[in-house]
């Protein structure tokens, strides 16, 4: 698979990575461990070199399964993980105090069965800790060789600038897709100016853009989409107009809607690396093959014009989680 470079320090990764969260967390029951290991190793065979996890996925179990799958192949790969929630619990409040960052790094290294974290993101900006202290703590970990690159997630432009002044940021990981384009306003220009890579999470709109979800779909009781306004049945019904657009382009190009959604992201900037998540081998193949789908300038113009006429219904987070983003 072709590679892309994140940040000025030259972190090379496959143009599409694998988001590992859904193997353990957020989308219903965890995948059987052996199946998860098989899926991740199959991703490596298909040329994926970039894997995304976090201590709070599980919590902890996702890092463990990523470690079990990838430790034998470690040297070929880039493994990204994240710190920043109290006790590793994404519903338990924020904790980016330096002592917590250091403790998470040690624990993540053990769970990932490795001696270095290639990319260590702050999962959410913690208003209780100056970002300079966070960046300084990661800088120390980099000097000690325990971490290779620094990342932020869902940070606002000013926070990115302040962090970058202390320790160059290699990548920002925030939501970006055909149905969530807010980063285009301020974030992408800031990243371009500073030479920071961008890793869009939920590039398939948490599955919605693939066309596999409609207003009659029911999610597992533990699936986080049950709590998301954008996934309320009436919002799903209204938002089908976006799915129909993606499906129409896919039909014309003889590819799948998921591939259109990923190809569109890849076409926005050469330093964008989406990390779609899947628990299924056939979808992994489909998603990876999106790197071969090219959208012409004319097609990109048509898509842009069509999506600008669509207003997506429903917020992307429940109220309590919405407060954690873009700080
Ligand atoms: N930094 C953050 O705060 C943050 C937040 C959310 C996610 N993330 C990261 O980003 C990664 C990706 O985001 P995401 O998993 O939320 O959303 P996503 O990649 O947009 O969508 C994942 C969903 O789409 C389905 N899917 C995947 N490929 C498909 C295909 N080709 N056709 C039909 N359905 C398909 C998956 O179901 P199946 O498993 O059934 O295929 C899953 O339900 C995560 O794994 C995680 O590593 C980070």
């Amino acid at each position: 698979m072709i590679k892309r470079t994140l940040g000025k320090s030259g972190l090379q990764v496959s143009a599409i990575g694998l988001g590992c969260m859904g193997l353990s967390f957020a989308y219903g029951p965890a995948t059987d461990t052996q199946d998860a290991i098989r899926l991740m190793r199959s991703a490596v065979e298909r040329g994926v070199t970039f894997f995304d996890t976090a201590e709070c996925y599980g919590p902890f179990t996702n890092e463990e399964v990523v470690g079990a799958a990838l430790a034998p192949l470690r040297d070929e790969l880039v493994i990204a993980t994240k710190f920043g929630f109290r006790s590793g619990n994404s519903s338990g409040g924020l904790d980016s105090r330096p002592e917590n960052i250091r403790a998470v790094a040690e624990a993540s290294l053990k769970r990932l069965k490795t001696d270095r974290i290639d990319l260590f993101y702050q999962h959410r900006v913690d208003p209780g800790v100056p970002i300079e202290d966070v960046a300084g703590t990661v800088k120390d970990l980099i000097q000690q060789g325990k971490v290779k690159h620094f990342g932020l997630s869902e940070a606002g432009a000013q926070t990115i600038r302040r962090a970058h002044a202390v320790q160059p940021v290699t990548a920002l990981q925030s939501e970006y897709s055909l149905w969530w384009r807010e980063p285009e306003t301020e974030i992408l220009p800031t990243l371009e100016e500073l030479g920071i890579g961008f890793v869009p999470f939920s590039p398939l709109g948490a599955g919605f853009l693939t066309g596999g979800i409609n207003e009659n779909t029911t999610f597992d009781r533990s699936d986080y989409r049950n709590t998301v306004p954008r996934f309320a049945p009436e919002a799903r019904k209204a938002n089908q107009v976006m799915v129909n657009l993606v499906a129409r382009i896919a039909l014309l190009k003889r590819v799948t809607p998921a591939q259109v959604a990923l190809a569109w992201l890849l076409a926005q900037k050469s330093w964008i690396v989406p990390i779609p998540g899947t628990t299924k081998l056939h979808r992994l193949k489909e998603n990876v093959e999106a790197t071969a789908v090219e959208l012409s300038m004319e097609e990109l113009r048509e898509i842009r014009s069509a999506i600008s006429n669509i207003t997506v219904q429903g917020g992307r987070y429940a109220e309590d989680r919405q407060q954690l983003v873009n700080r």
Side-chain angles (χ1 to χ4, degrees):
M1 195 194 309
I2 48 161
K3 297 241 168 126
R4 290 194 165 196
T5 304
L6 296 172
K8 281 191 177 153
S9 51
L11 180 63
Q12 277 222 327
V13 293
S14 52
I16 284 190
L18 180 66
C20 298
M21 177 184 79
L23 292 166
S24 315
F25 183 65
Y27 292 120
T31 300
D32 168 79
T33 301
Q34 288 313 315
D35 289 344
I37 290 173
R38 206 169 301 124
L39 184 104
M40 285 183 264
R41 292 196 180 155
S42 166
V44 177
E45 281 162 21
R46 294 184 182 286
V48 174
T49 66
F50 188 32
F51 291 82
D52 188 77
T53 180
E55 66 152 359
C56 72
Y57 299 160
F60 312 124
T61 48
N62 194 242
E63 283 189 334
E64 281 164 5
V65 72
V66 168
L70 303 182
L73 308 159
R74 179 69 185 93
D75 288 341
E76 302 161 43
L77 307 176
V78 173
I79 298 178
T81 192
K82 314 182 193 81
F83 62 87
F85 288 109
R86 193 176 303 138
S87 308
N89 176 355
S90 60
S91 309
L94 299 169
D95 188 351
S96 278
R97 289 171 304 139
E99 56 268 40
N100 191 48
I101 299 174
R102 287 190 287 267
V104 175
E106 294 301 335
S108 294
L109 285 169
K110 284 205 185 77
R111 286 188 290 268
L112 291 167
K113 297 190 192 348
T114 183
D115 60 355
R116 79 263 179 211
I117 295 164
D118 296 303
L119 177 55
F120 203 27
Y121 295 102
Q122 183 192 38
H123 211 148
R124 290 289 181 274
V125 175
D126 181 348
V129 182
I131 197 67
E132 288 77 6
D133 294 356
V134 173
T137 306
V138 176
K139 189 186 189 86
D140 292 344
L141 290 167
I142 290 173
Q143 273 158 8
Q144 292 161 23
K146 293 177 179 173
V147 168
K148 294 294 177 195
H149 297 268
F150 177 33
L152 297 170
S153 178
E154 293 282 9
Q158 287 315 312
T159 304
I160 296 168
R161 285 183 190 282
R162 286 169 52 198
H164 193 70
V166 176
Q167 166 60 44
V169 176
T170 294
L172 177 78
Q173 179 180 127
S174 292
E175 183 166 355
Y176 182 40
S177 69
L178 279 163
W179 79 338
W180 181 254
R181 300 186 310 282
E182 190 193 65
E184 291 174 354
T185 315
E186 198 183 4
I187 296 298
L188 293 186
T190 304
L191 300 182
E192 186 141 54
E193 177 197 326
L194 300 176
I196 298 173
F198 189 48
V199 177
F201 75 69
S202 300
L204 303 171
F208 189 72
L209 297 169
T210 69
I213 295 171
N214 63 31
E215 81 250 45
N216 299 317
T217 305
T218 51
F219 299 117
D220 183 87
R221 256 183 349 137
S222 61
D223 192 310
Y224 94 102
R225 289 171 294 193
N226 289 314
T227 67
V228 173
R230 209 170 40 174
F231 277 98
E234 60 280 13
R236 278 185 253 155
K237 190 172 178 191
N239 293 332
Q240 281 302 317
V241 57
M242 180 63 84
V243 176
N244 295 344
L245 166 71
V246 181
R248 186 171 58 76
I249 299 155
L251 196 65
L252 284 172
K253 291 193 74 71
R254 296 171 193 253
V255 298
T256 70
Q259 289 173 332
V260 169
L262 295 171
W264 180 83
L265 282 169
L266 289 168
Q268 301 308 305
K269 298 285 177 192
S270 60
W271 37 270
I272 284 183
V273 179
I275 48 164
T278 184
T279 55
K280 311 209 167 41
L281 283 167
H282 68 281
R283 288 180 172 167
L284 171 74
K285 178 173 183 291
E286 176 185 338
N287 296 346
V288 163
E289 287 175 356
T291 53
V293 176
E294 279 201 34
L295 296 166
S296 68
M297 294 306 283
E298 186 51 32
E299 287 165 333
L300 288 167
R301 257 195 303 276
E302 275 174 31
I303 295 172
R304 177 91 28 206
S305 147
I307 53 180
S308 65
N309 291 322
I310 297 173
T311 305
V312 172
Q313 302 297 316
R316 66 191 181 115
Y317 286 118
E319 193 57 38
D320 56 333
R321 305 205 67 76
Q322 182 61 37
Q323 295 162 10
L324 300 179
V325 300
N326 206 16
R327 290 209 270 223

